[in-house]
């Protein structure tokens, strides 16, 4: 079992890095974990819709180059919303019947390209709210950890 997380941009804030390190350590008890970061494209604040799509497409090409034969889950505001128990069931179902490798993809500040979204096996939304991609990585790791705790019948409410 292996989980890969592909994200756009680097984590600069120490408090996010500390949280990522902590959850990575906890998850390592259950699964191999790999992080791949692709550089974000420079995006001035006043972009046309066409320019936004060009930037997302460039980032998307970099993301797609990092994908192999994993089960692909993109984090997308328009995706399916699952509670923690349903996410844990989905993860164990994927590992049991579909693939021994899962890749989660977190887009940059403009989101993900259509090509990346279309390649997904599952579009997952954590909320209708928008979160910074740095914080999203922490939230994702916490939910992956929580899922493994649920799968292994270990306490997870804390």
């Amino acid at each position: 079992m292996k989980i890969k997380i592909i994200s756009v941009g680097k984590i600069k804030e120490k408090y996010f890095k500390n949280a990522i390190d902590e959850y990575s350590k906890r998850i390592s008890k259950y699964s191999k974990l790999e992080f791949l970061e692709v550089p974000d494209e420079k995006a001035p604040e006043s972009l046309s819709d066409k320019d936004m799509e060009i930037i997302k497409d460039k980032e998307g090409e970099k993301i797609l180059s990092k994908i192999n034969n994993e089960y692909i889950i993109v984090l997308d505001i328009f995706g399916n919303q699952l509670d923690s128990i349903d996410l844990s069931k989905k993860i164990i179902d994927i590992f049991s019947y579909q693939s021994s490798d899962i890749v989660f993809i977190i887009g940059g500040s403009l989101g993900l390209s259509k090509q990346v979204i279309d390649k997904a096996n599952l579009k997952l939304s954590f909320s209708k709210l928008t979160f910074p991609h740095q914080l999203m990585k922490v939230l994702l790791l916490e939910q992956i950890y929580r899922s493994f705790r649920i799968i292994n019948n270990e306490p997870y409410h804390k």
Side-chain angles (χ1 to χ4, degrees), residues 97-144:
Y97 303 109
Q98 298 176 46
S99 177
S100 61
D101 299 321
I102 299 173
V103 60
F104 288 90
I105 301 173
I106 303 170
S109 60
L110 300 176
L112 291 167
S113 70
K114 182 178 181 334
Q115 294 84 348
V116 173
I117 292 171
D118 288 347
K119 191 143 174 87
N121 299 100
L122 174 65
K123 298 167 191 78
L124 179 63
S125 173
F126 275 46
S127 170
K128 296 293 181 194
L129 300 171
T130 302
F131 297 102
H133 57 277
Q134 301 94 326
L135 178 59
M136 199 64 241
K137 190 182 278 188
V138 175
L139 292 172
L140 173 62
L141 286 170
E142 191 281 332
Q143 284 300 304
I144 292 169

Side-chain angles (χ1 to χ4, degrees), residues 11 13-25 138:
I11 302 290
E13 298 84 356
K14 186 175 181 178
Y15 50 91
F16 285 137
K17 287 180 181 179
N18 289 342
I20 289 165
D21 289 345
E22 178 62 28
Y23 282 113
S24 297
K25 183 174 79 175
V138 175

Side-chain angles (χ1 to χ4, degrees), residues 14-93:
K14 186 175 181 178
Y15 50 91
F16 285 137
K17 287 180 181 179
N18 289 342
I20 289 165
D21 289 345
E22 178 62 28
Y23 282 113
S24 297
K25 183 174 79 175
R26 293 180 186 191
I27 291 167
S28 70
K29 173 181 173 184
Y30 307 101
S31 174
K32 292 180 183 176
L33 188 60
E34 178 183 6
F35 295 100
L36 297 173
E37 295 175 337
V38 299
D40 52 346
E41 295 290 320
K42 299 298 177 212
E45 294 217 11
S46 57
L47 287 173
S48 69
D49 289 345
K50 183 176 180 172
D51 288 337
M52 283 193 257
E53 292 306 313
I54 291 169
I55 289 171
K56 289 193 295 186
D57 287 345
K58 286 180 182 178
E59 291 173 346
E61 288 172 17
K62 295 175 200 170
I63 290 169
L64 292 173
S65 74
K66 306 289 184 192
I67 296 173
N68 298 310
N69 293 319
E70 302 99 345
Y71 187 95
I72 301 167
I73 301 175
V74 297
L75 302 188
D76 180 18
I77 197 168
F78 301 108
N80 298 318
Q81 290 188 0
L82 303 175
D83 64 24
S84 296
I85 292 173
D86 288 335
L87 179 60
S88 69
K89 289 177 183 175
K90 185 66 179 173
I91 288 173
I92 196 63
D93 179 66

